[in-house]
Amino acid sequence: MSAPALTSSAVHGITARGPLSDAVIRRLTGEDADDLGARAEAALASTDDVVRDDDIQLALFVLYASSYGSLPELDPALEWDPALITTRGILENAFEQALRASVPMPELPEPTVDAVGRALFALAEADTGPSLSRYVAKKATEEQMHEFFMQRSIYTLREADPHSWAIPRLHGRAKAALVEIQSDEYGGGRPDRVHATIFARAMRGAGLDDTYGGYVDDVPAITLASLNSMSMFGVNRRLLGAIVGHLAAFEMTSSIPNRLYADGLRRLGFGEDVTDYFDEHVEADAVHEQIAARDLAGGLAEDHPELLPDIMFGAAACLTVDGWAAGHMLDSWTRGESSLRPRDAR
């Protein structure tokens, strides 16, 4: 069955990017939207790149936003709507297959704390992705830094939430390690030090809107795919190993880039209200990387060796997908272009 023509549905300032995301938005806001599964299949049949398809990635983003509760206009009674869950499953299957086909898998270490920790550090050190942080430190303009904040807001205004899905699914030392990391991410009991809150303050200091979702229309599909991969790993219990590996790689590649981001912001004259977020992560993530690699990922692999392949896949996927997103920004800027979506596409 052919999908109906695209309408102009929008939620929270987010406009549909095709028939599929249009139907998902309409359904989650209480309107009629039939044949969601058929729309998902049609979208997959018509794309040659699931990861970079605007309609598919926006549909996934909105579906996950329903579970996070990050967009208040989405009807909470529809979080477990069977048609929406079926649609999400169809899209996730294709998205996961695309990632598994394109993410280079490292050799599996022995399932011990020490071997997994060493393998993850070696994987992070071998990452040859684009150095967006070095560009920011030395060359980025103020306008490019505004784009940087807009792109990063898609995840960072919800920082740590995708990985927190794993907490009730872990036990023993792996659970204790994840809770230790997440406690710091959520401010250690201090609301003003919650990392998402510090990032929101940085956005305001840079003259930007800190409303969650405020810049979704501006960012390309690859930026949405970065968060969507985390969300997919996090919300699906069968992908527990992948979300643990993702967090390990995320923490292990954070400290030095954040120092360079802070250097670039200071070079451009931004104040402490803007640099605080990045300075905070220089110290915090230097500690977190050891806990994440050894106690969390290594501990989980030692206790559950069957999860080792997905732990390494999640780590490799983090480096690969984030590298694609960073590469898009860096390539755009070195060409003298904006990294945001063209205005006529928004």
Side-chain angles (χ1 to χ4, degrees), residues 68 70 152-165 181-187 193-200 212 227 230 247 250-251 254 258 276-278 280-282 284-285 288:
Y68 285 117
S70 53
R152 290 298 173 96
S153 71
I154 306 304
Y155 161 70
T156 313
L157 288 174
R158 300 290 309 191
E159 182 167 350
D161 290 348
H163 301 107
S164 290
W165 293 106
I181 293 169
Q182 298 302 79
S183 178
D184 284 347
E185 298 288 340
Y186 294 127
R193 300 310 296 171
V194 172
H195 288 182
T197 299
I198 304 173
F199 187 79
Y212 186 77
L227 174 57
M230 291 186 229
L247 177 59
F250 196 86
E251 296 293 341
S254 175
N258 276 298
D276 183 30
Y277 170 84
F278 303 95
E280 168 75 15
H281 283 71
V282 173
D285 291 346
H288 289 175

mmCIF file of all heavy atoms in Angstrom, residues 68 70 152-165 181-187 193-200 212 227 230 247 250-251 254 258 276-278 280-282 284-285 288:
data_model
loop_
_atom_site.group_PDB
_atom_site.id
_atom_site.type_symbol
_atom_site.label_atom_id
_atom_site.label_comp_id
_atom_site.label_asym_id
_atom_site.label_seq_id
_atom_site.Cartn_x
_atom_site.Cartn_y
_atom_site.Cartn_z
ATOM 1 N N TYR A 68 11.803 8.440 26.576
ATOM 2 C CA TYR A 68 12.549 9.324 27.466
ATOM 3 C C TYR A 68 11.642 10.357 28.130
ATOM 4 O O TYR A 68 11.974 10.887 29.192
ATOM 5 C CB TYR A 68 13.629 10.081 26.689
ATOM 6 C CG TYR A 68 14.833 9.278 26.303
ATOM 7 C CD1 TYR A 68 15.144 9.062 24.958
ATOM 8 C CD2 TYR A 68 15.695 8.742 27.261
ATOM 9 C CE1 TYR A 68 16.261 8.341 24.583
ATOM 10 C CE2 TYR A 68 16.812 8.015 26.893
ATOM 11 C CZ TYR A 68 17.089 7.818 25.550
ATOM 12 O OH TYR A 68 18.203 7.103 25.195
ATOM 13 N N SER A 70 11.127 13.219 26.647
ATOM 14 C CA SER A 70 11.882 14.449 26.403
ATOM 15 C C SER A 70 11.114 15.487 25.594
ATOM 16 O O SER A 70 11.539 16.643 25.547
ATOM 17 C CB SER A 70 13.200 14.124 25.701
ATOM 18 O OG SER A 70 12.989 13.350 24.542
ATOM 19 N N ARG A 152 25.600 19.209 19.219
ATOM 20 C CA ARG A 152 25.805 18.427 20.439
ATOM 21 C C ARG A 152 24.589 18.441 21.368
ATOM 22 O O ARG A 152 24.438 17.551 22.213
ATOM 23 C CB ARG A 152 27.040 18.937 21.182
ATOM 24 C CG ARG A 152 28.363 18.631 20.482
ATOM 25 C CD ARG A 152 28.570 17.128 20.352
ATOM 26 N NE ARG A 152 29.733 16.778 19.559
ATOM 27 C CZ ARG A 152 30.934 16.496 20.063
ATOM 28 N NH1 ARG A 152 31.131 16.566 21.367
ATOM 29 N NH2 ARG A 152 31.918 16.156 19.263
ATOM 30 N N SER A 153 23.724 19.430 21.232
ATOM 31 C CA SER A 153 22.570 19.522 22.130
ATOM 32 C C SER A 153 21.629 18.334 21.988
ATOM 33 O O SER A 153 20.898 18.000 22.917
ATOM 34 C CB SER A 153 21.796 20.822 21.873
ATOM 35 O OG SER A 153 21.103 20.787 20.634
ATOM 36 N N ILE A 154 21.635 17.677 20.831
ATOM 37 C CA ILE A 154 20.710 16.569 20.591
ATOM 38 C C ILE A 154 20.931 15.454 21.607
ATOM 39 O O ILE A 154 19.972 14.857 22.101
ATOM 40 C CB ILE A 154 20.868 16.042 19.151
ATOM 41 C CG1 ILE A 154 20.720 17.173 18.135
ATOM 42 C CG2 ILE A 154 19.871 14.922 18.876
ATOM 43 C CD1 ILE A 154 19.413 17.948 18.254
ATOM 44 N N TYR A 155 22.187 15.165 21.933
ATOM 45 C CA TYR A 155 22.469 14.200 23.000
ATOM 46 C C TYR A 155 22.708 14.864 24.341
ATOM 47 O O TYR A 155 22.173 14.433 25.369
ATOM 48 C CB TYR A 155 23.697 13.346 22.659
ATOM 49 C CG TYR A 155 24.286 12.675 23.882
ATOM 50 C CD1 TYR A 155 23.595 11.647 24.519
ATOM 51 C CD2 TYR A 155 25.491 13.096 24.449
ATOM 52 C CE1 TYR A 155 24.088 11.047 25.664
ATOM 53 C CE2 TYR A 155 26.002 12.503 25.587
ATOM 54 C CZ TYR A 155 25.296 11.477 26.207
ATOM 55 O OH TYR A 155 25.779 10.893 27.343
ATOM 56 N N THR A 156 23.504 15.909 24.378
ATOM 57 C CA THR A 156 24.084 16.365 25.639
ATOM 58 C C THR A 156 23.068 17.006 26.569
ATOM 59 O O THR A 156 23.270 16.997 27.788
ATOM 60 C CB THR A 156 25.274 17.310 25.371
ATOM 61 O OG1 THR A 156 26.116 16.727 24.382
ATOM 62 C CG2 THR A 156 26.092 17.524 26.621
ATOM 63 N N LEU A 157 21.973 17.532 26.059
ATOM 64 C CA LEU A 157 20.917 18.007 26.946
ATOM 65 C C LEU A 157 20.153 16.853 27.590
ATOM 66 O O LEU A 157 19.309 17.076 28.460
ATOM 67 C CB LEU A 157 19.953 18.928 26.191
ATOM 68 C CG LEU A 157 20.509 20.307 25.834
ATOM 69 C CD1 LEU A 157 19.517 21.080 24.968
ATOM 70 C CD2 LEU A 157 20.851 21.116 27.086
ATOM 71 N N ARG A 158 20.461 15.634 27.168
ATOM 72 C CA ARG A 158 19.952 14.418 27.825
ATOM 73 C C ARG A 158 21.127 13.549 28.265
ATOM 74 O O ARG A 158 21.006 12.321 28.377
ATOM 75 C CB ARG A 158 19.082 13.621 26.859
ATOM 76 C CG ARG A 158 17.875 14.324 26.314
ATOM 77 C CD ARG A 158 16.773 14.558 27.321
ATOM 78 N NE ARG A 158 16.408 13.374 28.045
ATOM 79 C CZ ARG A 158 15.327 13.301 28.821
ATOM 80 N NH1 ARG A 158 14.529 14.349 28.959
ATOM 81 N NH2 ARG A 158 15.035 12.203 29.488
ATOM 82 N N GLU A 159 22.260 14.157 28.533
ATOM 83 C CA GLU A 159 23.486 13.392 28.795
ATOM 84 C C GLU A 159 23.288 12.337 29.871
ATOM 85 O O GLU A 159 22.685 12.601 30.913
ATOM 86 C CB GLU A 159 24.629 14.331 29.211
ATOM 87 C CG GLU A 159 25.925 13.586 29.433
ATOM 88 C CD GLU A 159 27.131 14.510 29.538
ATOM 89 O OE1 GLU A 159 26.999 15.707 29.264
ATOM 90 O OE2 GLU A 159 28.201 14.001 29.892
ATOM 91 N N ALA A 160 23.822 11.167 29.601
ATOM 92 C CA ALA A 160 23.841 9.995 30.484
ATOM 93 C C ALA A 160 22.564 9.177 30.417
ATOM 94 O O ALA A 160 22.571 7.992 30.765
ATOM 95 C CB ALA A 160 24.132 10.376 31.937
ATOM 96 N N ASP A 161 21.454 9.751 29.974
ATOM 97 C CA ASP A 161 20.190 9.014 30.004
ATOM 98 C C ASP A 161 20.206 7.724 29.188
ATOM 99 O O ASP A 161 19.695 6.701 29.666
ATOM 100 C CB ASP A 161 19.043 9.918 29.546
ATOM 101 C CG ASP A 161 18.718 11.012 30.550
ATOM 102 O OD1 ASP A 161 19.219 10.942 31.691
ATOM 103 O OD2 ASP A 161 17.963 11.942 30.198
ATOM 104 N N PRO A 162 20.763 7.701 27.963
ATOM 105 C CA PRO A 162 20.733 6.433 27.209
ATOM 106 C C PRO A 162 21.439 5.293 27.936
ATOM 107 O O PRO A 162 20.988 4.136 27.874
ATOM 108 C CB PRO A 162 21.458 6.780 25.899
ATOM 109 C CG PRO A 162 21.284 8.255 25.749
ATOM 110 C CD PRO A 162 21.343 8.791 27.143
ATOM 111 N N HIS A 163 22.532 5.599 28.624
ATOM 112 C CA HIS A 163 23.289 4.549 29.299
ATOM 113 C C HIS A 163 22.622 4.101 30.599
ATOM 114 O O HIS A 163 22.870 2.987 31.070
ATOM 115 C CB HIS A 163 24.717 5.034 29.561
ATOM 116 C CG HIS A 163 25.447 5.412 28.316
ATOM 117 N ND1 HIS A 163 25.716 6.722 27.969
ATOM 118 C CD2 HIS A 163 25.957 4.656 27.306
ATOM 119 C CE1 HIS A 163 26.361 6.750 26.811
ATOM 120 N NE2 HIS A 163 26.523 5.514 26.391
ATOM 121 N N SER A 164 21.775 4.945 31.151
ATOM 122 C CA SER A 164 21.120 4.588 32.418
ATOM 123 C C SER A 164 20.098 3.476 32.256
ATOM 124 O O SER A 164 19.711 2.845 33.244
ATOM 125 C CB SER A 164 20.452 5.821 33.038
ATOM 126 O OG SER A 164 21.428 6.733 33.497
ATOM 127 N N TRP A 165 19.633 3.217 31.024
ATOM 128 C CA TRP A 165 18.732 2.084 30.812
ATOM 129 C C TRP A 165 19.367 0.784 31.284
ATOM 130 O O TRP A 165 18.660 -0.177 31.623
ATOM 131 C CB TRP A 165 18.383 1.940 29.336
ATOM 132 C CG TRP A 165 17.554 3.031 28.741
ATOM 133 C CD1 TRP A 165 17.963 4.015 27.891
ATOM 134 C CD2 TRP A 165 16.142 3.252 28.933
ATOM 135 N NE1 TRP A 165 16.903 4.836 27.545
ATOM 136 C CE2 TRP A 165 15.775 4.392 28.163
ATOM 137 C CE3 TRP A 165 15.158 2.599 29.670
ATOM 138 C CZ2 TRP A 165 14.473 4.883 28.113
ATOM 139 C CZ3 TRP A 165 13.854 3.083 29.628
ATOM 140 C CH2 TRP A 165 13.523 4.218 28.865
ATOM 141 N N ILE A 181 29.566 5.821 37.911
ATOM 142 C CA ILE A 181 29.755 6.752 36.801
ATOM 143 C C ILE A 181 28.550 7.666 36.659
ATOM 144 O O ILE A 181 28.671 8.896 36.547
ATOM 145 C CB ILE A 181 29.986 5.972 35.490
ATOM 146 C CG1 ILE A 181 31.319 5.219 35.538
ATOM 147 C CG2 ILE A 181 29.954 6.916 34.285
ATOM 148 C CD1 ILE A 181 31.499 4.226 34.406
ATOM 149 N N GLN A 182 27.360 7.065 36.675
ATOM 150 C CA GLN A 182 26.151 7.848 36.441
ATOM 151 C C GLN A 182 25.877 8.832 37.571
ATOM 152 O O GLN A 182 25.308 9.913 37.346
ATOM 153 C CB GLN A 182 24.948 6.928 36.229
ATOM 154 C CG GLN A 182 25.063 6.007 35.013
ATOM 155 C CD GLN A 182 25.270 6.743 33.712
ATOM 156 O OE1 GLN A 182 26.383 7.174 33.392
ATOM 157 N NE2 GLN A 182 24.208 6.905 32.960
ATOM 158 N N SER A 183 26.264 8.496 38.772
ATOM 159 C CA SER A 183 26.104 9.436 39.882
ATOM 160 C C SER A 183 26.844 10.728 39.608
ATOM 161 O O SER A 183 26.330 11.829 39.843
ATOM 162 C CB SER A 183 26.598 8.804 41.185
ATOM 163 O OG SER A 183 26.496 9.720 42.265
ATOM 164 N N ASP A 184 28.061 10.612 39.089
ATOM 165 C CA ASP A 184 28.813 11.815 38.714
ATOM 166 C C ASP A 184 28.117 12.551 37.574
ATOM 167 O O ASP A 184 28.038 13.790 37.567
ATOM 168 C CB ASP A 184 30.229 11.444 38.282
ATOM 169 C CG ASP A 184 31.128 11.116 39.459
ATOM 170 O OD1 ASP A 184 30.742 11.413 40.601
ATOM 171 O OD2 ASP A 184 32.213 10.552 39.231
ATOM 172 N N GLU A 185 27.621 11.806 36.578
ATOM 173 C CA GLU A 185 26.951 12.431 35.441
ATOM 174 C C GLU A 185 25.738 13.239 35.888
ATOM 175 O O GLU A 185 25.412 14.276 35.313
ATOM 176 C CB GLU A 185 26.516 11.368 34.428
ATOM 177 C CG GLU A 185 27.643 10.560 33.812
ATOM 178 C CD GLU A 185 28.464 11.361 32.823
ATOM 179 O OE1 GLU A 185 27.972 12.391 32.334
ATOM 180 O OE2 GLU A 185 29.616 10.953 32.554
ATOM 181 N N TYR A 186 25.074 12.755 36.924
ATOM 182 C CA TYR A 186 23.876 13.428 37.425
ATOM 183 C C TYR A 186 24.166 14.343 38.607
ATOM 184 O O TYR A 186 23.267 14.711 39.355
ATOM 185 C CB TYR A 186 22.813 12.397 37.785
ATOM 186 C CG TYR A 186 22.272 11.632 36.590
ATOM 187 C CD1 TYR A 186 22.271 10.241 36.576
ATOM 188 C CD2 TYR A 186 21.789 12.293 35.466
ATOM 189 C CE1 TYR A 186 21.782 9.537 35.482
ATOM 190 C CE2 TYR A 186 21.297 11.598 34.373
ATOM 191 C CZ TYR A 186 21.293 10.220 34.391
ATOM 192 O OH TYR A 186 20.808 9.523 33.299
ATOM 193 N N GLY A 187 25.418 14.724 38.761
ATOM 194 C CA GLY A 187 25.753 15.775 39.707
ATOM 195 C C GLY A 187 26.090 15.333 41.107
ATOM 196 O O GLY A 187 26.327 16.181 41.980
ATOM 197 N N ARG A 193 25.073 20.664 39.304
ATOM 198 C CA ARG A 193 26.231 20.017 38.687
ATOM 199 C C ARG A 193 25.835 18.839 37.797
ATOM 200 O O ARG A 193 26.716 18.109 37.325
ATOM 201 C CB ARG A 193 27.225 19.542 39.760
ATOM 202 C CG ARG A 193 27.781 20.648 40.632
ATOM 203 C CD ARG A 193 28.313 21.821 39.828
ATOM 204 N NE ARG A 193 29.451 21.454 38.988
ATOM 205 C CZ ARG A 193 29.979 22.259 38.075
ATOM 206 N NH1 ARG A 193 29.435 23.454 37.847
ATOM 207 N NH2 ARG A 193 31.014 21.863 37.340
ATOM 208 N N VAL A 194 24.558 18.629 37.571
ATOM 209 C CA VAL A 194 24.126 17.639 36.586
ATOM 210 C C VAL A 194 24.721 18.051 35.238
ATOM 211 O O VAL A 194 24.607 19.210 34.828
ATOM 212 C CB VAL A 194 22.589 17.581 36.508
ATOM 213 C CG1 VAL A 194 22.148 16.693 35.347
ATOM 214 C CG2 VAL A 194 22.005 17.078 37.828
ATOM 215 N N HIS A 195 25.367 17.139 34.550
ATOM 216 C CA HIS A 195 26.105 17.509 33.351
ATOM 217 C C HIS A 195 25.210 18.109 32.273
ATOM 218 O O HIS A 195 25.615 19.049 31.585
ATOM 219 C CB HIS A 195 26.870 16.303 32.816
ATOM 220 C CG HIS A 195 28.049 15.933 33.657
ATOM 221 N ND1 HIS A 195 28.903 14.907 33.359
ATOM 222 C CD2 HIS A 195 28.522 16.480 34.814
ATOM 223 C CE1 HIS A 195 29.855 14.824 34.273
ATOM 224 N NE2 HIS A 195 29.629 15.764 35.178
ATOM 225 N N ALA A 196 23.998 17.597 32.121
ATOM 226 C CA ALA A 196 23.079 18.190 31.147
ATOM 227 C C ALA A 196 22.727 19.617 31.520
ATOM 228 O O ALA A 196 22.564 20.485 30.651
ATOM 229 C CB ALA A 196 21.808 17.343 31.034
ATOM 230 N N THR A 197 22.630 19.887 32.813
ATOM 231 C CA THR A 197 22.326 21.235 33.289
ATOM 232 C C THR A 197 23.499 22.184 33.028
ATOM 233 O O THR A 197 23.298 23.340 32.633
ATOM 234 C CB THR A 197 22.006 21.203 34.794
ATOM 235 O OG1 THR A 197 20.861 20.361 35.005
ATOM 236 C CG2 THR A 197 21.716 22.586 35.331
ATOM 237 N N ILE A 198 24.721 21.688 33.243
ATOM 238 C CA ILE A 198 25.899 22.514 32.970
ATOM 239 C C ILE A 198 25.980 22.827 31.474
ATOM 240 O O ILE A 198 26.329 23.947 31.083
ATOM 241 C CB ILE A 198 27.186 21.812 33.449
ATOM 242 C CG1 ILE A 198 27.105 21.463 34.931
ATOM 243 C CG2 ILE A 198 28.401 22.708 33.203
ATOM 244 C CD1 ILE A 198 28.278 20.622 35.436
ATOM 245 N N PHE A 199 25.649 21.849 30.633
ATOM 246 C CA PHE A 199 25.675 22.082 29.192
ATOM 247 C C PHE A 199 24.603 23.094 28.791
ATOM 248 O O PHE A 199 24.841 23.957 27.939
ATOM 249 C CB PHE A 199 25.480 20.779 28.425
ATOM 250 C CG PHE A 199 25.670 20.925 26.937
ATOM 251 C CD1 PHE A 199 26.940 20.971 26.391
ATOM 252 C CD2 PHE A 199 24.578 21.029 26.090
ATOM 253 C CE1 PHE A 199 27.129 21.114 25.019
ATOM 254 C CE2 PHE A 199 24.749 21.176 24.723
ATOM 255 C CZ PHE A 199 26.028 21.216 24.186
ATOM 256 N N ALA A 200 23.432 22.990 29.402
ATOM 257 C CA ALA A 200 22.372 23.970 29.114
ATOM 258 C C ALA A 200 22.838 25.372 29.475
ATOM 259 O O ALA A 200 22.574 26.346 28.748
ATOM 260 C CB ALA A 200 21.107 23.603 29.879
ATOM 261 N N TYR A 212 15.240 21.544 25.130
ATOM 262 C CA TYR A 212 15.550 20.276 24.490
ATOM 263 C C TYR A 212 14.759 20.127 23.201
ATOM 264 O O TYR A 212 13.556 20.331 23.163
ATOM 265 C CB TYR A 212 15.274 19.065 25.387
ATOM 266 C CG TYR A 212 15.758 17.814 24.702
ATOM 267 C CD1 TYR A 212 17.108 17.524 24.682
ATOM 268 C CD2 TYR A 212 14.887 17.007 23.988
ATOM 269 C CE1 TYR A 212 17.591 16.433 23.982
ATOM 270 C CE2 TYR A 212 15.360 15.909 23.285
ATOM 271 C CZ TYR A 212 16.715 15.632 23.285
ATOM 272 O OH TYR A 212 17.194 14.566 22.570
ATOM 273 N N LEU A 227 22.696 9.702 18.524
ATOM 274 C CA LEU A 227 21.870 9.474 19.704
ATOM 275 C C LEU A 227 21.005 8.234 19.532
ATOM 276 O O LEU A 227 20.833 7.449 20.473
ATOM 277 C CB LEU A 227 20.986 10.694 19.979
ATOM 278 C CG LEU A 227 19.959 10.539 21.105
ATOM 279 C CD1 LEU A 227 20.631 10.164 22.420
ATOM 280 C CD2 LEU A 227 19.136 11.804 21.271
ATOM 281 N N MET A 230 22.731 5.028 20.528
ATOM 282 C CA MET A 230 22.756 4.879 21.995
ATOM 283 C C MET A 230 21.405 4.432 22.517
ATOM 284 O O MET A 230 21.300 3.543 23.372
ATOM 285 C CB MET A 230 23.107 6.207 22.661
ATOM 286 C CG MET A 230 24.492 6.712 22.486
ATOM 287 S SD MET A 230 24.709 8.201 23.513
ATOM 288 C CE MET A 230 25.422 9.308 22.309
ATOM 289 N N LEU A 247 29.332 2.931 26.356
ATOM 290 C CA LEU A 247 29.702 3.856 27.427
ATOM 291 C C LEU A 247 31.201 3.812 27.695
ATOM 292 O O LEU A 247 31.833 4.854 27.913
ATOM 293 C CB LEU A 247 28.933 3.532 28.707
ATOM 294 C CG LEU A 247 29.285 4.394 29.922
ATOM 295 C CD1 LEU A 247 29.040 5.871 29.641
ATOM 296 C CD2 LEU A 247 28.511 3.956 31.156
ATOM 297 N N PHE A 250 32.877 5.749 25.021
ATOM 298 C CA PHE A 250 32.482 7.146 25.152
ATOM 299 C C PHE A 250 33.311 7.850 26.220
ATOM 300 O O PHE A 250 33.825 8.954 26.008
ATOM 301 C CB PHE A 250 30.991 7.212 25.506
ATOM 302 C CG PHE A 250 30.355 8.550 25.297
ATOM 303 C CD1 PHE A 250 29.851 8.911 24.058
ATOM 304 C CD2 PHE A 250 30.237 9.455 26.342
ATOM 305 C CE1 PHE A 250 29.254 10.150 23.860
ATOM 306 C CE2 PHE A 250 29.652 10.690 26.159
ATOM 307 C CZ PHE A 250 29.156 11.042 24.913
ATOM 308 N N GLU A 251 33.450 7.199 27.370
ATOM 309 C CA GLU A 251 34.217 7.787 28.467
ATOM 310 C C GLU A 251 35.712 7.816 28.163
ATOM 311 O O GLU A 251 36.412 8.752 28.544
ATOM 312 C CB GLU A 251 33.964 7.008 29.756
ATOM 313 C CG GLU A 251 32.536 7.056 30.266
ATOM 314 C CD GLU A 251 32.119 8.433 30.735
ATOM 315 O OE1 GLU A 251 32.991 9.271 31.016
ATOM 316 O OE2 GLU A 251 30.896 8.679 30.838
ATOM 317 N N SER A 254 36.881 10.964 25.868
ATOM 318 C CA SER A 254 36.237 12.228 26.217
ATOM 319 C C SER A 254 37.176 13.256 26.819
ATOM 320 O O SER A 254 37.072 14.448 26.530
ATOM 321 C CB SER A 254 35.082 11.958 27.190
ATOM 322 O OG SER A 254 34.498 13.146 27.649
ATOM 323 N N ASN A 258 37.642 17.165 25.305
ATOM 324 C CA ASN A 258 36.983 18.230 26.053
ATOM 325 C C ASN A 258 37.962 19.316 26.479
ATOM 326 O O ASN A 258 37.605 20.496 26.525
ATOM 327 C CB ASN A 258 36.240 17.646 27.259
ATOM 328 C CG ASN A 258 34.862 17.139 26.884
ATOM 329 O OD1 ASN A 258 34.008 17.903 26.448
ATOM 330 N ND2 ASN A 258 34.634 15.853 27.045
ATOM 331 N N ASP A 276 32.807 25.791 31.437
ATOM 332 C CA ASP A 276 32.698 24.958 32.634
ATOM 333 C C ASP A 276 32.349 23.510 32.305
ATOM 334 O O ASP A 276 32.919 22.575 32.865
ATOM 335 C CB ASP A 276 31.653 25.548 33.583
ATOM 336 C CG ASP A 276 31.529 24.779 34.891
ATOM 337 O OD1 ASP A 276 32.532 24.205 35.340
ATOM 338 O OD2 ASP A 276 30.421 24.771 35.462
ATOM 339 N N TYR A 277 31.423 23.323 31.390
ATOM 340 C CA TYR A 277 31.005 21.959 31.022
ATOM 341 C C TYR A 277 32.200 21.141 30.547
ATOM 342 O O TYR A 277 32.387 19.984 30.947
ATOM 343 C CB TYR A 277 29.928 22.004 29.946
ATOM 344 C CG TYR A 277 29.632 20.648 29.358
ATOM 345 C CD1 TYR A 277 28.734 19.784 29.984
ATOM 346 C CD2 TYR A 277 30.275 20.204 28.202
ATOM 347 C CE1 TYR A 277 28.487 18.519 29.468
ATOM 348 C CE2 TYR A 277 30.038 18.949 27.684
ATOM 349 C CZ TYR A 277 29.137 18.113 28.316
ATOM 350 O OH TYR A 277 28.909 16.867 27.806
ATOM 351 N N PHE A 278 33.007 21.718 29.690
ATOM 352 C CA PHE A 278 34.125 20.993 29.096
ATOM 353 C C PHE A 278 35.249 20.793 30.105
ATOM 354 O O PHE A 278 35.872 19.725 30.155
ATOM 355 C CB PHE A 278 34.610 21.738 27.846
ATOM 356 C CG PHE A 278 33.504 21.925 26.847
ATOM 357 C CD1 PHE A 278 32.761 23.106 26.826
ATOM 358 C CD2 PHE A 278 33.170 20.925 25.958
ATOM 359 C CE1 PHE A 278 31.724 23.284 25.926
ATOM 360 C CE2 PHE A 278 32.127 21.087 25.059
ATOM 361 C CZ PHE A 278 31.396 22.266 25.039
ATOM 362 N N GLU A 280 34.852 20.473 33.291
ATOM 363 C CA GLU A 280 34.345 19.443 34.203
ATOM 364 C C GLU A 280 34.677 18.048 33.684
ATOM 365 O O GLU A 280 35.043 17.150 34.450
ATOM 366 C CB GLU A 280 32.828 19.591 34.361
ATOM 367 C CG GLU A 280 32.117 18.441 35.041
ATOM 368 C CD GLU A 280 32.311 18.390 36.541
ATOM 369 O OE1 GLU A 280 32.776 19.403 37.114
ATOM 370 O OE2 GLU A 280 32.022 17.340 37.144
ATOM 371 N N HIS A 281 34.575 17.854 32.367
ATOM 372 C CA HIS A 281 34.766 16.525 31.801
ATOM 373 C C HIS A 281 36.233 16.136 31.660
ATOM 374 O O HIS A 281 36.532 14.945 31.516
ATOM 375 C CB HIS A 281 34.058 16.444 30.443
ATOM 376 C CG HIS A 281 32.578 16.277 30.570
ATOM 377 N ND1 HIS A 281 31.761 17.282 31.011
ATOM 378 C CD2 HIS A 281 31.778 15.210 30.331
ATOM 379 C CE1 HIS A 281 30.515 16.850 31.025
ATOM 380 N NE2 HIS A 281 30.500 15.606 30.637
ATOM 381 N N VAL A 282 37.130 17.086 31.683
ATOM 382 C CA VAL A 282 38.549 16.751 31.585
ATOM 383 C C VAL A 282 38.954 15.883 32.762
ATOM 384 O O VAL A 282 39.612 14.847 32.613
ATOM 385 C CB VAL A 282 39.411 18.024 31.517
ATOM 386 C CG1 VAL A 282 40.895 17.669 31.598
ATOM 387 C CG2 VAL A 282 39.116 18.804 30.239
ATOM 388 N N ALA A 284 36.678 14.557 35.221
ATOM 389 C CA ALA A 284 35.722 13.491 35.527
ATOM 390 C C ALA A 284 35.926 12.280 34.631
ATOM 391 O O ALA A 284 35.936 11.128 35.099
ATOM 392 C CB ALA A 284 34.300 14.016 35.394
ATOM 393 N N ASP A 285 36.095 12.504 33.333
ATOM 394 C CA ASP A 285 36.173 11.372 32.421
ATOM 395 C C ASP A 285 37.510 10.663 32.472
ATOM 396 O O ASP A 285 37.617 9.496 32.065
ATOM 397 C CB ASP A 285 35.847 11.826 30.994
ATOM 398 C CG ASP A 285 34.377 12.202 30.850
ATOM 399 O OD1 ASP A 285 33.602 11.863 31.758
ATOM 400 O OD2 ASP A 285 34.010 12.831 29.849
ATOM 401 N N HIS A 288 36.484 8.255 34.997
ATOM 402 C CA HIS A 288 35.434 7.365 34.507
ATOM 403 C C HIS A 288 35.968 6.319 33.534
ATOM 404 O O HIS A 288 35.460 5.192 33.482
ATOM 405 C CB HIS A 288 34.339 8.178 33.807
ATOM 406 C CG HIS A 288 33.512 8.989 34.745
ATOM 407 N ND1 HIS A 288 32.548 9.875 34.312
ATOM 408 C CD2 HIS A 288 33.486 9.047 36.094
ATOM 409 C CE1 HIS A 288 31.978 10.453 35.352
ATOM 410 N NE2 HIS A 288 32.534 9.965 36.443
#
